[in-house]
């Protein structure tokens, strides 16, 4: 075998149009250092260094090499990067080489050449498709053990174990008149025409240079230039136009409804040093008025025994390596094909110095032109023949070639043997119809070219060039221009057709012979493995087996064999699999159908899709204007929805319990101060505002006097409590509603929904003012004195300023609204000031209250204080299954109003049932014992599971003011159980807690403290 | 012409259904796997059946299997408009657990769990039920309290559930970000060790094969286009393959339940919405359990193949198109990276959506209707895969006896009139 070992000898620098052979860079693969050139892909650089073995297959651990040159590569997957930048499963064909790149092979142990997993290959007869469904079932308990081994063997690459991705990702939203996807011959022409018609154009190209196939072939001339020169020039011209955005290294991976495209731009992946100011990738979210897809085509492999050996390559890929990177993939090659086009790849390699010893074509009559050229080059041909088996251990060494019957179903003669170190294969072309299909466009099987082509579109989109099955360059150009003109017109633009470039290209008949598997001459299931899906190790006989077992639908075959489900997403395997399936089912390919294409076109970075919405920006934290004060006071914080609220303020050496008890006592003995700014606040205005509230809340609102406050409960349409709060009438047509902290956004949505969709006739306007007001709640016997000390022009005496009313004025010179409402049961003022004065208000009150023993208290003390009073918290005493009646709050449900949300639902039979869960109080037998919240009550603590549960504890605290614990619970028929004893079994196995059912008002049941 | 591949499978089927085992695998290996039987016949409809099940998803196939195996009703058919398991059964993320809050839920999901535990052997098909645990994590004081409530209820219902501290979680799931300073730090969690995942396709195929073995006709590519009634009685179904008669018809069509119900003049309290999921490229094992988070809103597991499987909540609009909107995966992946930073450097491989049928109380409907002989099993929403065996088992019982058993009774349609709802909303969050 004549292998060249010297890198330079492997390079043909005259032809290498995509690399700079004077810019050598070094990289490592599996720890060894190699040289490549700027512009290389990892695959081309490895081939240039004669490295062909790049990985091991998923299931059988067979040696695998580089088969393709683009996104369709199934075999050459490597891990790249170091530390937090480690990325597994990257196709070597898609890595732009940079200095210092570190790449490692995957799925092998201990080394690539000597892989223990290869033992699977030996036993492969026992592992056909779906074998695991048929075994590993006995004994049942062993499955987890088997599975452990299966899991370890599965998976491909390894994720980083340092876990922190040091890179940053960005997103951009953009609108364009016309988006062109793909910068090959067709795409460049479409973009040119669109741009010259004054449209705002985005041209996205996957590679770092435009040109596509123009870079790989050497037989297309445009306007007197070589194809790639024309591409470079045109791209440059486009990039300079103001109305054009040209994005190289950008993959359009998704095509959603209403021409919504998602594109991944790789910004720094190709750089050795990653500049700190640049994101690694940018996600473009684009709305396009018109889309032109020019995504090209992918060559199909042929299915024959041993077609997966390193050294077996797509013919077009070998030509790409030669012309773009100056690399000869071998020294002694054989082409096996079913079409004319691939012959030219073989000729190109032959002329560059790779001896093509034979061209094997399954057809008997290729075009005379290619036969003539082969003869002129002295290449032998075998017509009506195929490679029936390929041999070699870690690399292709020998093939068997045999004549086939006319239909290609069977052998028609003896096999000959040929030595070789390279096999070029070509089974025809697959247009890249993925994006068209993602956009819900239909596909049609083309009987002339034997491939799926786009048919009708669902979106404003057109496919042009090879992705439309128009492989002929001159036809592709025409199509592209026409499509661009059509798009311009559809956008209302004035379009003048540009002169088409002058193109000289060889005339090629692209029609392949439909042959989906080359027979091996052996009965089905025997002989070497003929791969359909290389990465997932799915063979032709696996597909046959699936059909034999009744898995006929293409989706069943896919799922049973896993064909098409690997990281190349079936780009090279789908059509061959369909062909074999159709043959096995005695059906036509279009009748068998195709699986749907979905986002993403190629595997897409998760980090990029997450973008910047992680870390601190995952969900912005909301804080109150007084937040800084709480922090400086050493408060502990609690998450409440998006808010961070002061939870309690421990003093030196204090435990949480001690701190909370101190705060709770102070609020009842002197005064406490709570930051209540997070409460939801909605400004409700309009002539129908009172009527609107009357329908939303369960109680009556029409007659509430101006300046007065009222507590309200709102129910969902199912009659269940959804939120509560105090709402105040500011004027006849103006109300200020408060909601729970966590419920604020949901309540506003709810109100808007009813207003907009059900009661559009009501004149009401809703505005969230949560963040416009800062609120300090001053509560306790000394509240009035402190407020007076702080200085206010509002008379505070109980007669002038009654409970449940609001006064507007000033506090210490700050404009304020004071609401006399109470969530503690003490004399209490909720002082609202414009948010910017929040801190001033807080510090003023703290200063004024100092001599009175004012104590800031947090949310935990607030919970205990209201718990002592038996006040509910929506979301704690309720969970969407609790009615106002269940809460013992029938008094708040009007029976006079004609309607309110939930009224009808509350009339249903089950709402009247006597065994509903109802809110009650609990006193533990041992007053010091606090029942854990969430514990469930039962009458008989000794019964075995399933235990008859009465319900659960919703709130539970130790009350320092009462000297015993207080709890509330929702218990079945609770209101009829006053005085009963219930038991709460404990999770940790300690004895059940015993408690008596009581009223929920534990402290000051008559409410005498409200007036101080 | 030589015997075709399909014929070989059919001929082999004429013999009694052969057991799958390590021995049959070895025997077939010697024979180059030429002797395997068809897993099920590709039946054409007969004129009449004792019962018809519409919908060849997991629930429908399980119903047929239990009708045949438990109730001896073998002259029955499953009618599927596309390919078996092509609905939500083949699209879901396969989380299985029974740690539900309400007694009614606990009872049906635990019934299913017990059936899962012997299902591979019952069906003689390895459905890869993998009890690697389902861990639900809490990110706030409020969630910790919710968790306590749930664990108390679950335990008293005799179902396994353990509370894990942050330290224990760190050990159990080393790749989780346990930094207590992140936006929503992981403050604890509860684990159902018996929970886990199963191979969704295998569930459909295993039930189909076992049902077929008892004589059930499985009819694919046959869409039901109408329900034939005589007065208040069902007498058959109109299909793309003609009228098929039966006096018992069970509808198990998940996302299309409202459409089927409409054919019988019934209005279902169901909203159909897209639910999306996605997988990463396969990598070597890094996650050996299922994690669910309500506050951060995503859930994740790693398949036996090595793919990270992720999902979140439904899209907020009604639709029958099996695709969702892009902001959902954006948010889902941000949440995922936040909790599992290692994911940032992995890549999304496949992404898809299914249409889920959700009831106002987030619980299913297993019910008779006003039309005699017409039954519905639907409304499983985002979380019905886990119920598959239990759902099929009780639905078969309902169809065979024309009355619900204790497990099914609470799920009658009438609950939307009486108000006896089983509201799992508050309890479920991300309900899978
Ligand atoms: C993305 C996603 C993730 C999910 N994750 C989970 C999870 O982790 N855990 C969990 O427990 N659940 C999950 N679910 C929910 C679960 O998938 C479903 O609840 C369950 O699979 C429903 O099963 P089924 O058999 O009722 O429905 P399907 O599998 O949808 O079966 C219904 C069948 O009816 C057929 N049909 C419809 N109309 C007709 C007609 N007119 N004639 C004939 N046939 C018809 C359909 O083609 C379909 O095959 C998820 C769902 C989705 C979409």
């Amino acid at each position: 075998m004549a292998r060249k070992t010297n890198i330079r000898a492997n390079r043909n620098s005259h032809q290498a149009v995509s690399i700079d052979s004077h810019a050598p860079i070094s990289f490592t693969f599996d720890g060894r250092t190699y040289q490549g050139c700027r512009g290389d892909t990892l695959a081309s650089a490895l081939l240039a260094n004669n490295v062909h073995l790049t990985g091991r297959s998923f299931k059988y651990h067979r040696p695998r090499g580089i088969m393709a040159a683009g996104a369709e590569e199934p075999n050459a997957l490597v891990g790249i990067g170091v530390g937090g930048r480690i990325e597994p499963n990257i196709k070597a064909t898609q890595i732009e080489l940079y200095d210092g790149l570190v790449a490692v092979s995957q799925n092998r142990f201990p080394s690539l050449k000597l892989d223990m997993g290869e033992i699977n290959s030996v036993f492969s007869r026992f592992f056909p498709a779906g074998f695991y469904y048929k075994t590993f079932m006995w004994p049942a308990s062993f499955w987890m053990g088997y599975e452990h081994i299966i899991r370890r063997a599965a998976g491909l690459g390894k994720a980083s174990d340092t876990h922190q991705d040091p890179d940053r990702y960005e997103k951009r939203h953009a609108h364009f008149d016309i988006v062109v996807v793909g910068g090959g011959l067709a795409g460049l022409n479409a973009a040119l025409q669109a741009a010259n018609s004054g449209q705002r154009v985005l041209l996205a190209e996957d590679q770092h240079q435009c040109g596509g196939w123009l870079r790989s072939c050497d037989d297309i001339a445009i306007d007197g230039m070589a194809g790639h020169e024309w591409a470079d020039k045109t791209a440059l011209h486009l990039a300079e136009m103001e109305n054009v955005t040209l994005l190289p290294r950008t993959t359009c991976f998704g095509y959603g409804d209403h021409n919504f495209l998602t594109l991944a731009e790789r910004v720094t992946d190709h750089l050795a040093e990653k500049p700190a100011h640049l994101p690694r990738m940018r996600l473009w979210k684009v709305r396009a008025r018109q889309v032109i897809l020019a995504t090209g085509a992918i060559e199909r492999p042929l299915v024959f025994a041993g077609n997966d050996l390193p050294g077996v390559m797509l013919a077009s890929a070998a030509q790409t390596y030669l012309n773009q990177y100056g690399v000869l993939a071998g020294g002694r090659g054989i082409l096996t094909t079913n079409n004319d086009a691939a012959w030219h790849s073989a000729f190109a390699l032959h002329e560059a110095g790779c001896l093509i010893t034979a061209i094997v074509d399954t057809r008997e009559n290729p075009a005379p032109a290619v036969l003539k050229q082969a003869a002129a080059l002295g290449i032998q041909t075998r017509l009506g023949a195929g490679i029936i088996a390929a041999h070699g251990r870690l690399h292709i060494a020998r093939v068997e070639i045999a004549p086939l019957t006319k239909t290609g179903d069977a052998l028609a003669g003896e096999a000959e043997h040929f030595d070789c170190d390279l096999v070029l294969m070509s089974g025809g072309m697959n247009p890249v119809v993925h994006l068209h299909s993602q956009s819900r466009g239909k596909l049609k099987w083309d009987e002339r070219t034997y491939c799926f082509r786009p048919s009708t579109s669902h979106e404003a989109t057109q496919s042009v060039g090879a992705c439309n099955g128009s492989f002929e360059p001159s036809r592709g150009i025409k199509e592209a221009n026409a499509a661009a003109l059509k798009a311009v017109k559809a956008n209302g633009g004035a379009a003048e057709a540009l002169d088409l470039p002058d193109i000289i290209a060889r005339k090629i008949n692209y029609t392949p012979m439909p042959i989906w598997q080359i027979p091996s001459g052996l009965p089905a299931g025997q002989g070497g493995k003929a791969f359909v899906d290389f990465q997932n190790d799915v063979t032709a006989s696996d597909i046959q087996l699936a059909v034999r077992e009744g898995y006929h639908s293409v989706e069943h075959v896919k799922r049973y064999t896993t064909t098409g489900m690997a990281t190349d997403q079936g780009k090279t395997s789908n059509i061959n699999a369909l062909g074999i399936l159709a043959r096995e089912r005695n059906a036509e390919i279009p009748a068998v159908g195709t699986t749907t294409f979905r986002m993403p076109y190629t595997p897409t970075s998760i980090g990029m899709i997450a973008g910047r919405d992680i870390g601190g920006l995952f969900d912005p934290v909301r804080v109150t204007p007084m937040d800084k004060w709480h922090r400086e006071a050493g408060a502990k914080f609690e998450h409440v929805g998006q808010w961070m609220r002061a939870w309690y303020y421990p003093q030196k050496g204090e435990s949480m319990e001690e701190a909370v008890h101190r705060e709770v006592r102070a609020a009842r003995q002197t005064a406490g101060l709570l930051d209540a700014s997070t409460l939801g606040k909605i400004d409700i205005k309009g002539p129908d505002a009172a009527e609107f509230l009357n329908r939303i809340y369960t109680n009556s609102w029409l007659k509430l006097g101006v300046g007065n406050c009222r507590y309200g409960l709102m129910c969902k349409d199912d009659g269940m409590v959804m939120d509560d709060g105090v709402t105040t009438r500011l004027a006849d047509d103006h109300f200020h509603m408060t909601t729970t902290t966590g419920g604020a956004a949901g309540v506003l949505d709810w109100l808007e929904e009813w207003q907009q969709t059900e009661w559009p006739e009501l004149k009401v306007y809703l505005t969230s003012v949560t963040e416009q007001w800062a609120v300090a709640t001053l509560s306790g016997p000394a509240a009035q004195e402190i407020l007076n000390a702080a200085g206010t022009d509002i008379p505070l005496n109980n007669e002038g300023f009654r409970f449940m009313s609001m006064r507007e004025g000033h506090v210490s010179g700050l404009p304020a609204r004071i609401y006399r409402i109470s969530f503690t049961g003490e004399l209490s003022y909720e002082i609202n000031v414009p948010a910017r004065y929040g801190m001033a208000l807080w510090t003023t009150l703290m200063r004024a209250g100092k001599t009175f023993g004012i104590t800031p208290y947090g949310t935990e003390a607030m919970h205990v204080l209201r718990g002592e009073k038996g006040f509910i918290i929506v979301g704690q005493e309720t969970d969407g299954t609790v009615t106002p009646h269940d809460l013992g709050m029938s008094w708040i449900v009007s029976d006079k109003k004609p309607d309110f949300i939930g009224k009808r639902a509350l009339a249903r039979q089950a709402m009247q049932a006597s065994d509903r869960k109802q809110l009650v109080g609990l006193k533990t037998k041992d007053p010091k014992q606090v029942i854990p919240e969430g514990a469930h009550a039962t009458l008989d603590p000794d019964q075995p599971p399933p235990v008859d549960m009465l319900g659960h504890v919703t709130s539970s605290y130790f009350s320092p003011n009462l000297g015993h614990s207080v709890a509330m619970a929702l218990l079945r028929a609770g209101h009829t159980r006053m005085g009963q004893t219930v038991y709460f079994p404990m999770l940790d196995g300690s004895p059940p807690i015993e408690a008596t059912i009581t009223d929920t008002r534990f402290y000051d049941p008559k409410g005498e403290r409200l007036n101080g | 012409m030589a015997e075709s591949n399909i014929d070989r499978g059919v001929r082999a089927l004429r013999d009694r259904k052969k057991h799958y085992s390590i021995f049959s695998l070895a025997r077939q290996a010697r024979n180059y796997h030429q002797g395997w039987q068809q897993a099920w016949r590709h039946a054409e409809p007969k004129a009449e059946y004792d019962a018809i099940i519409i919908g060849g998803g997991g629930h429908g196939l399980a119903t047929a299997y239990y009708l045949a195996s438990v109730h001896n009703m073998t002259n029955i058919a499953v009618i599927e408009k596309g390919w078996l398991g092509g609905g939500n059964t083949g699209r879901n993320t396969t989380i299985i657990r029974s740690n539900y809050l309400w007694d009614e839920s606990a009872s049906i999901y635990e019934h299913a769990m017990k059936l899962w535990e012997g299902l591979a052997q019952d069906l003689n098909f390895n459905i890869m039920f993998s009890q690697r645990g389902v861990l639900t994590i809490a990110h706030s004081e409020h969630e910790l309290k919710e968790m306590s409530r749930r664990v108390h209820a679950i335990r008293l219902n005799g179902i396994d559930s353990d509370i894990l501290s942050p330290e224990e979680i760190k050990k159990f799931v080393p790749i989780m970000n346990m930094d207590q300073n992140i936006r929503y730090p992981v403050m604890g969690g509860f684990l159902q060790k018996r929970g886990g995942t199963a191979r969704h396709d295998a569930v459909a195929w295993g039930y189909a094969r076992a049902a077929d073995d008892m004589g059930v006709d499985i009819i694919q590519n046959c869409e039901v286009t109408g329900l034939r009634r005589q007065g208040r009685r069902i007498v058959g179904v109109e299909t793309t393959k003609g009228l098929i008669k039966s006096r018992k018809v069970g509808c198990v069509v998940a996302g299309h339940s409202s459409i089927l119900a409409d054919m019988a003049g019934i209005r279902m309290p169901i909203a159909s919405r897209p639910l999306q999921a996605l997988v990463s490229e396969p990598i070597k094992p890094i996650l050996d359990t299922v994690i669910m988070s309500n506050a951060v809103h995503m859930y994740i597991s790693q398949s036996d193949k090595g793919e990270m499987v992720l999902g979140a909540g439904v899209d907020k609009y009604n639709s029958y198109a099996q695709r969702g909107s892009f902001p959902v995966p954006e948010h889902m992946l941000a949440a995922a990276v936040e909790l599992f930073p290692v994911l940032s450097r992995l890549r999304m491989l496949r992404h898809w959506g299914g249409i889920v049928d959700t009831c106002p109380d987030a619980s299913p409907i297993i019910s008779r209707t006003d039309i005699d002989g017409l039954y519905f099993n639907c409304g499983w929403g985002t979380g019905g895969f886990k119920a598959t065996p239990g759902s099929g088992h009780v639905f078969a019982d309902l169809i065979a006896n024309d009355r619900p058993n204790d497990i099914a009774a609470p799920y009658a349609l009438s609950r939307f009139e009486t108000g006896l709802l089983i509201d799992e909303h508050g309890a479920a969050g991300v309900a899978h």
Side-chain angles (χ1 to χ4, degrees), chain B residues 112-221:
Chain B
M113 180 68 87
K114 296 217 167 94
L115 290 168
W116 279 117
E117 287 176 328
L119 198 58
Q121 291 70 32
D122 286 352
L123 299 180
N124 180 230
F125 203 97
N126 189 354
I127 47 128
M128 304 187 196
F129 178 43
S130 157
Q131 295 179 294
R132 271 176 287 132
V134 174
L135 174 67
T136 308
I137 50 180
H139 302 270
S140 67
E141 285 301 314
H142 184 75
E143 280 199 307
L144 285 175
K145 288 176 180 173
E146 270 304 311
M147 175 170 106
S148 161
R149 174 186 180 191
R150 281 233 253 164
V151 173
H152 276 95
I154 294 160
R155 287 264 202 96
L156 293 176
N157 265 323
I159 298 170
D160 72 301
S161 189
D162 295 295
I163 289 188
L164 263 53
S165 68
E167 294 69 42
E168 287 165 319
I169 292 176
K170 201 181 170 83
K171 249 196 241 131
F172 188 53
V173 190
I175 62 166
M176 183 130 64
N177 185 356
M178 296 302 295
D179 184 344
Q180 290 300 303
N181 295 316
I182 61 173
R183 180 66 181 89
Y184 292 112
V186 179
M187 296 169 67
F190 69 103
L191 171 69
Q192 182 175 28
K193 288 199 184 113
R194 287 158 69 232
T197 57
R199 175 92 183 91
H200 51 20
D201 294 325
V203 173
W205 301 339
Y207 272 121
R209 175 170 171 270
D212 171 274
D213 196 26
M214 290 179 288
V216 176
D217 277 357
I218 289 165
I219 303 162
Q220 298 183 80
N221 300 313

Side-chain angles (χ1 to χ4, degrees), chain B residues 55 58-59 80-81 88-89 92-95 224 254 382-386:
Chain B
H59 288 219
E80 165 57 47
K81 71 171 176 185
N88 290 344
T89 298
N92 83 95
T93 45
T94 79
I95 297 175
V224 171
T382 58
F385 178 72
K386 65 178 69 66

Side-chain angles (χ1 to χ4, degrees), chain A residues 206-398:
Chain A
D206 190 43
Q207 302 295 310
H208 70 284
Q209 290 161 305
C210 285
W213 182 246
L214 291 178
R215 309 196 76 79
S216 296
C217 69
D218 52 9
D219 52 5
I220 296 181
I222 307 173
D223 286 344
M225 285 171 269
H228 70 273
E229 284 168 357
W230 177 86
D232 287 341
K233 190 174 151 251
T234 308
L236 203 66
H237 172 65
L238 283 167
E240 281 168 355
M241 292 179 76
E242 241 172 46
N243 55 333
V244 176
T245 305
L246 195 158
L247 295 178
R249 301 189 177 90
T250 302
T251 313
C252 179
F253 65 90
Y255 194 153
D257 290 333
H258 309 297
N259 267 353
F260 176 68
L261 305 179
T262 43
L263 303 97
E265 180 189 1
R266 299 178 298 280
V267 183
T268 64
D269 269 0
H270 62 292
L271 302 177
E273 297 297 327
K274 320 282 180 199
H277 70 287
L278 287 179
R280 176 185 173 221
M281 286 186 189
R282 195 175 282 127
L283 169 61
W284 288 74
K285 299 195 268 183
V286 173
R287 288 270 175 207
R289 294 171 72 194
Q290 299 284 325
V291 171
I292 295 175
L293 299 174
T295 44
I298 291 172
E299 196 165 28
R300 283 201 282 264
L302 283 171
V303 178
F304 57 87
N307 61 349
D308 64 323
L309 274 168
V312 180
M313 193 179 271
L314 294 172
S316 59
Q319 195 178 346
T320 295
Y321 288 119
L322 173 65
N323 285 336
Q324 289 203 38
Y325 308 103
V327 179
L328 272 177
R332 195 179 172 84
I334 289 179
L335 167 72
T336 176
T337 180
N338 64 356
N339 64 80
D340 289 343
W343 288 60
H344 298 288
S345 301
F347 297 151
L349 261 79
H350 189 77
E351 284 172 343
C354 167
L355 181 71
I356 300 291
T357 53
I359 292 181
V360 188
D361 198 318
T362 56
R363 300 168 307 161
E364 276 170 347
N365 49 353
V370 293
L371 288 173
K372 214 164 107 195
Q373 197 171 345
L377 292 171
I379 301 175
Q380 318 179 47
T381 58
R382 295 288 182 275
L383 305 183
I387 293 184
I388 60 166
H391 306 282
R393 211 187 88 67
L394 296 175
H395 196 86
I396 181 88
R398 198 163 49 85

Side-chain angles (χ1 to χ4, degrees), chain A residues 58 85-90 107 125-126 128 132-138 140 143-144 147 151-157 159-160 163 165 167 169 171 255-257 260 262 280 285 438 440 524-526 536 544-545 547-553 555-556 559-560 565-567 569 584 598-600 603-607 609-610 613-615 618-621 638-639 642 647 875 879-881 908-911 917 933-936 945-947 949 952 987, chain B residues 5-6 8-9 20-22 25-26 29-30 32-34 36-40 42 83-84 90-91 102-103 120-121 124-126 128-132 139-142 145 148-149 151-153 155-158 163 174-175 183-185 199-202 205 220 280-285 287-288 296 302-307 321-323 326 329-331 333-335 337-338 341-352 416-420 423 426:
Chain A
F58 193 80
R85 289 202 168 97
I86 285 180
E87 221 176 350
N89 303 340
I90 308 295
N107 205 31
R125 254 168 87 180
F126 298 95
Y132 30 76
Y133 300 126
K134 296 176 178 142
T135 183
F136 301 129
M137 286 182 272
W138 307 271
W143 163 242
M144 295 301 288
E147 193 191 31
R151 285 172 79 82
R152 292 245 319 251
L156 281 166
S160 162
H163 294 175
D165 184 347
D167 290 320
Y169 302 84
K171 295 186 185 180
Y255 194 153
D257 290 333
F260 176 68
T262 43
R280 176 185 173 221
K285 299 195 268 183
Q438 274 190 34
R440 295 207 268 172
Q526 302 184 34
N536 270 354
Q544 288 173 298
L545 174 66
V547 175
R548 192 177 315 134
E549 292 196 76
Y551 300 93
H552 292 181
S553 143
E555 283 287 350
H556 282 163
R559 286 153 185 262
Y560 193 66
M565 298 185 81
T567 67
Q569 291 151 313
E584 294 300 313
R598 300 177 183 287
M599 172 179 89
T604 300
S605 159
I606 286 176
I609 299 175
D613 298 342
I614 53 169
F618 174 64
D619 191 14
V621 176
E638 174 186 29
H639 290 262
Q642 291 171 313
W647 190 16
D879 59 2
T881 69
R908 288 174 303 176
Q909 179 191 330
M911 302 302 118
K917 293 197 172 143
E933 286 174 0
H936 278 64
V947 170
M949 291 173 256
H952 77 288
L987 286 180
Chain B
N5 188 23
I6 295 186
R8 244 194 325 268
Y20 289 158
S21 71
I22 188 85
L25 199 63
R30 233 181 304 133
Y32 300 98
H33 300 284
Q34 296 302 304
W36 290 114
Q37 299 168 309
Q38 282 208 334
W40 60 83
H42 290 254
W83 40 282
L84 288 189
R91 291 164 193 273
W102 302 113
D103 295 352
Q121 291 70 32
N124 180 230
F125 203 97
N126 189 354
M128 304 187 196
F129 178 43
S130 157
Q131 295 179 294
R132 271 176 287 132
H139 302 270
S140 67
E141 285 301 314
H142 184 75
K145 288 176 180 173
S148 161
R149 174 186 180 191
V151 173
H152 276 95
R155 287 264 202 96
L156 293 176
N157 265 323
I163 289 188
I175 62 166
R183 180 66 181 89
Y184 292 112
R199 175 92 183 91
H200 51 20
D201 294 325
W205 301 339
Q220 298 183 80
S280 76
E281 294 181 304
I283 50 168
K284 292 290 174 196
L287 180 62
D288 204 26
V296 173
Q302 184 171 20
S303 74
D304 281 355
K305 202 176 166 207
E307 298 163 339
Q322 286 176 325
R323 57 206 264 133
F326 194 65
E330 280 185 288
H331 180 80
L333 291 178
V337 171
E338 183 69 3
V342 61
L343 295 178
S344 181
R345 228 51 199 199
L346 301 184
R347 301 192 296 173
M348 167 170 82
L349 173 60
R350 277 190 308 277
H351 163 266
W352 65 93
F416 298 101
E417 280 156 36
T418 62
L420 262 182
D423 198 319

